[in-house]
Amino acid sequence: MRKKKIGIALGGGTMRGMTHIGVLEVIAENKIPIDYLVGCSSGAIVAAAYACGRFDELKKIATSFKKQDRRKILDLTLTGEGLIKGGKMKSLFNYLTAEKKFEDIKHLNLAFVGTDAISGEEIVIREGSIAEALEITTALPGLAPPKRYKGRMVIDGGTAMMVPAKTSYEIGAEKVIGVNVGVNRSFLTRVVGDIRKLMRKSYLARLAQPLFNAEEKILEADEEKFLGKAKKIMEKIHLLDDYEKGRFSFLEVYLLGLRAMSRDYTKGLFFDSDCDVAIRPNVLHIRRLAVTKTSELIHEGRKATKNKLKDIKELIK
């Protein structure tokens, strides 16, 4: 009997993403075969280190973080498209991936998910530099600068989906283990999305219909059309050069991300029914930027995975 192709989908959650180290440790210890490994945001960092043979190095780095190290790795700026320049993260990504390309990974199918900043749709990345793909999938709107990928402006993969389980199926996995270490959409995102939905269903919708029509055109438009009016204004105030180079303030990038999520904030939520086995480690009480809590996060990842081992082993029978 042909064995099922197993996929693992690792969701984002900033430092909570290090929980995935514990998950993959237990998977490896129990000789669970991995055919597809898909990550978004910080989940992609763990997936990349695992696939590129730098898994132990990632664990050593992550568990040695001290509180003051947060400032060292986040090279802050107030003049760019994000609050961090990204240079130090890029160096870390180059090291964790051994500067490999997706095409160099032969023992499993590796993929990351990014988000189209204009449409909010997920973008699957499976080719080229793995380190550059990590820059794309971790480009949190307003914090890290957005990236260009095949002519599109792309931001953090967690903006499109919390756990890329659907993507795992789409690229070939037959059975998927989804790992969620994040929380549902932010309060602000839900409020903006609910207002849109309410307006469409109320009598006020008729008054606002021209706005909604314009919005739909914008959502379906490419980047240049979306920013068309802004472009005309920029021409008048001599900022066109910045537009042509794709430069935006960190606030503008944050608003793009909020717009992408609030279009339909339920679309990217993760439910247990989205995969064959769902793992939800008990880590939501740990703050996203708690760099000194990595050992606890890994422990919770191991614990949650061990509790699901029976279900996981059923997948490969």
Side-chain angles (χ1 to χ4, degrees):
M1 181 182 292
R2 183 177 66 88
K3 77 177 184 68
K4 296 292 185 181
K5 294 179 180 178
I6 305 298
I8 299 182
L10 306 179
T14 320
M15 279 307 297
R16 290 193 200 122
M18 297 303 102
T19 307
H20 298 309
I21 295 175
V23 174
L24 292 180
E25 281 182 340
V26 173
I27 294 293
E29 289 165 5
N30 286 272
K31 296 179 172 55
I32 307 297
I34 302 176
D35 299 291
Y36 294 86
L37 186 57
V38 184
C40 67
S41 198
S42 56
I45 298 175
V46 179
Y50 183 89
C52 296
R54 292 283 171 89
F55 192 60
D56 292 339
E57 288 84 348
L58 171 62
K59 183 177 180 180
K60 184 177 180 180
I61 292 170
T63 53
S64 65
F65 273 141
K66 296 179 176 59
K67 199 170 185 179
Q68 57 267 32
D69 291 331
R70 187 165 57 190
R71 293 181 181 177
K72 292 179 183 178
I73 199 167
L74 299 177
D75 40 351
L76 299 175
T77 177
L78 293 176
T79 59
E81 295 177 301
L83 291 177
I84 63 172
K85 296 176 184 176
K88 293 182 179 179
M89 291 298 292
K90 183 176 182 178
S91 296
L92 176 62
F93 293 160
N94 283 332
Y95 172 72
L96 291 176
T97 63
E99 300 190 14
K100 292 184 178 181
K101 296 182 178 181
F102 284 90
E103 293 81 0
D104 298 325
I105 308 302
K106 307 297 184 182
H107 59 289
L108 56 76
N109 295 278
L110 181 68
F112 300 155
V113 174
T115 305
D116 187 307
I118 306 303
S119 69
E121 296 298 317
E122 65 271 16
I123 295 174
V124 182
I125 307 169
R126 302 181 68 187
E127 59 186 22
S129 165
I130 299 175
E132 290 179 8
L134 282 180
E135 290 187 80
I136 294 172
T137 187
T138 60
L140 193 65
L143 181 63
K147 301 297 177 182
R148 297 279 176 168
Y149 181 72
K150 295 186 176 180
R152 302 163 81 177
M153 185 163 68
V154 189
I155 54 178
D156 182 90
T159 307
M161 57 178 61
M162 295 176 64
V163 180
K166 183 182 76 171
T167 302
S168 301
Y169 289 114
E170 288 175 347
I171 66 174
E174 295 170 295
K175 298 289 183 180
V176 174
I177 302 163
V179 190
N180 184 32
V181 295
V183 295
N184 285 337
R185 302 301 191 190
S186 71
F187 175 74
L188 180 58
T189 302
R190 297 197 304 271
V191 167
V192 173
D194 285 341
I195 289 175
R196 285 181 170 186
K197 191 179 295 183
L198 179 64
M199 286 291 288
R200 282 186 170 89
K201 292 181 178 179
S202 70
Y203 70 92
L204 293 174
R206 283 185 297 173
L207 298 177
Q209 194 59 46
L211 294 176
F212 288 136
N213 290 340
E215 179 194 42
E216 291 305 320
K217 290 180 181 178
I218 288 172
L219 288 170
E220 294 171 4
D222 59 25
E223 180 185 325
E224 187 168 347
K225 289 180 180 178
F226 169 60
L227 295 167
K229 290 185 178 180
K231 184 177 180 180
K232 290 181 179 179
I233 295 172
M234 285 189 247
E235 285 176 334
K236 293 180 180 178
I237 56 178
H238 307 293
L239 290 177
L240 182 59
D241 185 56
D242 279 351
Y243 171 79
E244 294 294 346
K245 292 178 180 178
R247 293 175 180 170
F248 306 92
S249 72
F250 67 87
L251 178 59
E252 289 168 330
V253 174
Y254 172 76
L255 292 174
L256 277 173
L258 178 62
R259 170 182 171 272
M261 283 190 289
S262 63
R263 182 185 182 189
D264 181 2
Y265 69 83
T266 62
K267 177 178 176 289
L269 300 182
F270 175 68
F271 302 97
D272 289 5
S273 58
D274 291 341
C275 58
D276 296 281
V277 176
I279 301 175
R280 293 180 180 268
N282 182 27
V283 295
L284 298 186
H285 61 287
I286 298 175
R287 297 176 65 183
R288 284 175 170 265
L289 295 178
V291 296
T292 61
K293 298 287 186 179
T294 303
S295 294
E296 183 180 346
L297 291 167
I298 293 173
H299 170 75
E300 291 296 338
R302 292 183 60 88
K303 180 180 175 182
T305 308
K306 287 179 178 179
N307 289 339
K308 291 284 188 174
L309 266 180
K310 182 180 179 182
D311 295 334
I312 292 171
K313 289 180 177 179
E314 286 291 325
L315 298 181
I316 61 175
K317 281 188 175 179

